[in-house]
Amino acid sequence: MAASSGSAGGEGGATATTGAGGEGGEGGATTTIGAGGEGGGGELAPVMPEIHPEVFGTFDTSELTVFAFSQVEVHEDDPQVLELAPDMVPRAWQRWRDTGVEADDYDAAYPASCRERGVRFVAGSTASVIFEDEVDSEEQFLEQTTRNAAGELVAHDQIVEGAHRASMASPSYRARLIEIGKLQIDLGVDGLTFDEINGGYGGAQYDGNEGFDDHHVADFGSYLCRKHGGRPDGWQQEFDLLPEDGLDCGGAPETAGRSFDFRGYLQRMNATVKPFDSGNKLLLEEWGWTVGNRPDPEVGTFVEIYPALVYWQEVVLELRRYAREQHGREIFITSNGIIPFVDMQSVGLYDWNIDGDGPRGMDWVPVVDGHLDGSVSFQTALRGLKARSKRVQELVGGKEVPLMLFLDWPTDMMNRYYALPLEERKDYFRVFAAEVYANGLYFALPLHTTTDENTATALEMMDFFARFRDFYRSHEDLFHGATDLTGEVTLSFEACAAAEDPEACADEKKTSHNLAQLPDGRAVLHVINHAYSAGVVAQEGLTASFPMDASPTEVTVASIDFEEDRAVPFSYEDGVVTVQVGSLPASVAIVVE
């Protein structure tokens, strides 16, 4: 599900420490708090949780190249998945409301059928949407649901009538997510995905006025004491805290600060209606603001740290342990967005994102007058996603993981894709999915959301998707383990050579490219054609030059638009190889042996 975003919080100086966390039970956090930024008097102020080493996965993603997004009801299957047989279907089932909480809710034959076809099957759950009728009692609903700063429930009827946001700070709610994950593991799924793990802080008006329930408030008080408790007397006055606010940092570490009346404090500070418009220092600098599906613990505020590194870590750790101990296998775990502790980032594409600088963020489905605008390049945004993922993973001591993009729904962006003419829908993948793969990411082909009228079959896309599958699977070695190279690349075309100003012609930027080295030592230059006018405009006479340490033995060109790979002529002089590619269709991969 898509999530709206807001402004990021202020900068912080927190640094993660890696070590063994506490064991914890089903209802408690499995992390302990470790030392982070430096506080007053030269003492360390604990701000970041320690990271348990078992939270990291070892699921083998090296054979995952072709993805197809299909979500059906948990008692159904999707024949399109079995027909296409991608390497993975990344959200085949999702627990929603009270559907998917019992084993009998599921069609257990579906993952077995997928496994027979070589398809890794991923189930999962919403992580932050809750309905009153899905839990056992009103008391349980109230205990597991977030509040605004005035202590009121926050309706999210814009999602669906009756929806609220669950509190990830609630131990019983986290235990419920864990139990649903265990149930799905028992059914034989290969992986789990959780949607919107930090979705409970946006507010009804997307103004950040949410997440102020008792569980979050108690954790926030504890966080403040752990961060500032070692400072000299007087730090509470810095935030206009009074004794009646109840922030007592004395006593045992496990109880210190947990009696903090944060909502009462906000009311006294006139900061309950639109909290972030109040300018309150404690709210802005310590509580902070988080963007849906893009938690950034490096910022160092409470709502950036705790949802991602405490609550989410507990869920992931318990599910990995369960799969290892009860089933003797490694479970694949992912979540919507850029999230720590996952085996792969599953990045939903929707409007109002923070991936680009347009008025609604990055336009991942660019359209002009109802037609595809293939002249746009995604490359800057793609590299930004990779860099963000690498930074978040390194922060917690994890390894860099692959990224897989998918058109999220229900969104205007998905609707723009649905509305394209058939050939332009195909062009979307010939141009833009090719650019995604060229930059070392993956793209999930959309087969089915939860509406039957826009399935890939209904949209007449299945034959093309089979062609897409065959090309990328047969060339999978070009899309795993590559390291980007920084050598200068020069591209030219016959039209430019004949122009009065060839340099200006080349600067029209009708292409994007990425040069990389493969694990076996080969180099590959991906070139994407962005000359587009109601269809891809083939550019003739492409010549590509780039540095190589030695003269190649062979150069071949591969493309989804070619019947077979082509050997092409080349020359080598002064450390630069020049390749005569010929015609440039939607994309090519120039492979240098």
Side-chain angles (χ1 to χ4, degrees):
M1 179 181 292
S4 295
S5 60
S7 303
E11 291 298 323
T15 307
T17 57
T18 304
E23 292 298 314
E26 286 289 321
T30 58
T31 54
T32 58
I33 300 297
E38 189 169 306
E43 296 184 20
L44 289 176
V47 293
M48 297 288 277
E50 292 190 10
I51 309 303
H52 198 291
E54 292 180 11
V55 76
F56 299 107
T58 60
F59 191 94
D60 183 10
T61 61
S62 65
E63 296 181 353
L64 302 178
T65 308
V66 180
F67 300 81
F69 187 94
S70 168
Q71 183 181 327
V72 296
E73 300 295 340
V74 298
H75 60 276
E76 298 176 341
D77 62 18
D78 183 0
Q80 298 173 119
V81 170
L82 301 177
E83 175 186 345
L84 186 66
D87 298 320
M88 175 175 278
V89 53
R91 197 163 81 188
W93 287 335
Q94 187 180 50
R95 192 279 307 179
W96 179 257
R97 211 161 192 161
D98 59 353
T99 302
V101 297
E102 303 288 345
D104 290 345
D105 294 340
Y106 294 86
D107 175 11
Y110 186 23
S113 297
C114 284
R115 189 172 300 107
E116 291 175 0
R117 299 281 288 136
V119 181
R120 284 78 163 181
F121 188 99
V122 179
S125 173
T126 172
S128 62
V129 176
I130 189 170
F131 299 84
E132 187 170 2
D133 60 6
E134 73 174 79
V135 293
D136 294 335
S137 66
E138 181 183 10
E139 180 183 7
Q140 187 182 49
F141 171 73
L142 295 175
E143 191 271 333
Q144 295 183 358
T145 308
T146 58
R147 301 289 194 281
N148 62 19
E152 303 163 334
L153 292 174
V154 181
H156 283 281
D157 291 340
Q158 81 281 5
I159 298 174
V160 66
E161 186 175 356
H164 293 77
R165 288 293 186 179
S167 171
M168 284 289 281
S170 164
S172 69
Y173 183 73
R174 294 196 303 274
R176 185 164 181 249
L177 289 182
I178 291 167
E179 287 306 310
I180 291 166
K182 289 179 178 179
L183 183 155
Q184 293 176 345
I185 292 171
D186 291 342
L187 289 168
V189 304
D190 298 286
L192 300 170
T193 182
F194 292 87
D195 200 15
E196 300 181 315
I197 68 160
N198 68 333
Y201 308 92
Q205 305 301 321
Y206 304 108
D207 56 2
N209 191 5
E210 196 167 14
F212 299 97
D213 54 88
D214 290 347
H215 296 294
H216 274 104
V217 167
D219 285 346
F220 182 48
S222 174
Y223 167 81
L224 289 173
C225 288
R226 293 176 186 274
K227 181 175 182 180
H228 296 287
R231 295 174 58 186
D233 291 341
W235 69 269
Q236 294 197 19
Q237 285 83 345
E238 177 184 341
F239 298 110
D240 297 315
L241 289 160
L242 298 177
E244 56 261 38
D245 295 322
L247 184 57
D248 181 5
C249 293
E254 60 268 21
T255 60
R258 300 192 68 81
S259 60
F260 181 32
D261 182 11
F262 187 37
R263 292 195 302 268
Y265 163 86
L266 292 174
Q267 184 176 17
R268 181 168 61 80
M269 301 300 292
N270 295 316
T272 58
V273 178
K274 287 190 174 293
F276 286 91
D277 289 348
S278 69
N280 181 265
K281 185 175 182 179
L282 184 66
L283 185 72
L284 294 173
E285 296 183 5
E286 298 294 342
W287 176 270
W289 184 301
T290 188
V291 175
N293 297 332
R294 297 290 191 279
D296 190 355
E298 193 171 28
V299 170
T301 56
F302 172 75
V303 297
E304 292 284 32
I305 294 171
Y306 264 59
L309 301 191
V310 177
Y311 310 142
W312 171 238
Q313 182 182 178
E314 177 188 343
V315 172
V316 175
L317 179 61
E318 290 302 311
L319 290 173
R320 290 202 191 280
R321 282 174 166 171
Y322 183 79
R324 291 163 181 162
E325 295 169 5
Q326 299 299 316
H327 294 272
R329 61 189 180 92
E330 194 68 16
I331 194 75
F332 173 93
I333 292 182
T334 187
S335 178
N336 195 340
I338 304 294
I339 311 294
F341 312 128
V342 297
D343 297 288
M344 176 177 284
Q345 306 287 9
S346 299
V347 182
L349 306 181
Y350 46 79
D351 291 305
W352 311 110
N353 58 69
I354 62 168
D355 306 326
D357 55 6
R360 296 170 65 138
M362 181 65 198
D363 188 353
W364 294 104
V365 184
V367 170
V368 176
D369 296 329
H371 291 278
L372 186 67
D373 181 6
S375 67
V376 175
S377 172
F378 292 172
Q379 185 155 272
T380 298
L382 295 171
R383 291 177 174 177
L385 288 172
K386 286 181 66 176
R388 186 183 183 101
S389 173
K390 182 178 181 181
R391 177 171 60 82
V392 168
Q393 292 296 102
E394 287 178 345
L395 178 69
V396 298
K399 65 179 181 180
E400 190 172 1
V401 298
L403 289 86
M404 180 273 300
L405 312 185
F406 67 96
L407 291 173
D408 210 338
W409 63 275
T411 65
D412 291 342
M413 194 170 287
M414 175 63 96
N415 292 337
R416 292 199 296 276
Y417 164 76
Y418 284 152
L420 289 172
L422 174 60
E423 293 304 316
E424 294 179 26
R425 283 198 299 273
K426 297 177 183 178
D427 289 344
Y428 182 82
F429 298 97
R430 292 174 62 221
V431 175
F432 292 122
E435 189 169 44
V436 169
Y437 277 77
N439 283 276
L441 301 85
Y442 305 97
F443 202 110
L445 305 174
L447 299 185
H448 192 288
T449 56
T450 53
T451 58
D452 292 331
E453 64 269 21
N454 286 317
T455 65
T457 299
L459 294 173
E460 302 180 37
M461 291 293 291
M462 286 298 288
D463 287 345
F464 174 81
F465 285 165
R467 173 179 151 200
F468 184 99
R469 172 204 62 202
D470 292 345
F471 174 77
Y472 282 95
R473 185 171 285 163
S474 64
H475 293 83
E476 61 185 3
D477 56 323
L478 304 182
F479 305 106
H480 286 279
T483 303
D484 291 344
L485 299 175
T486 58
E488 182 178 355
V489 175
T490 301
L491 303 176
S492 62
F493 298 90
E494 287 179 357
C496 291
E500 293 183 4
D501 187 354
E503 184 175 348
C505 179
D507 285 344
E508 289 181 6
K509 296 183 179 179
K510 292 182 178 177
T511 62
S512 65
H513 65 268
N514 192 46
L515 179 64
Q517 186 168 35
L518 300 173
D520 61 8
R522 291 177 297 163
V524 55
L525 174 64
H526 298 278
V527 183
I528 311 301
N529 186 2
H530 292 290
Y532 199 87
S533 179
V536 175
V537 179
Q539 301 190 68
E540 301 301 328
L542 170 60
T543 299
S545 300
F546 46 94
M548 290 288 295
D549 290 338
S551 178
T553 58
E554 183 181 29
V555 178
T556 57
V557 177
S559 173
I560 192 173
D561 295 319
F562 294 164
E563 291 296 327
E564 58 184 13
D565 297 354
R566 302 174 179 178
V568 292
F570 64 91
S571 60
Y572 183 77
E573 184 176 358
D574 296 330
V576 175
V577 60
T578 299
V579 181
Q580 305 298 325
V581 178
S583 180
L584 174 64
S587 68
V588 294
I590 304 166
V591 185
V592 181
E593 301 283 351

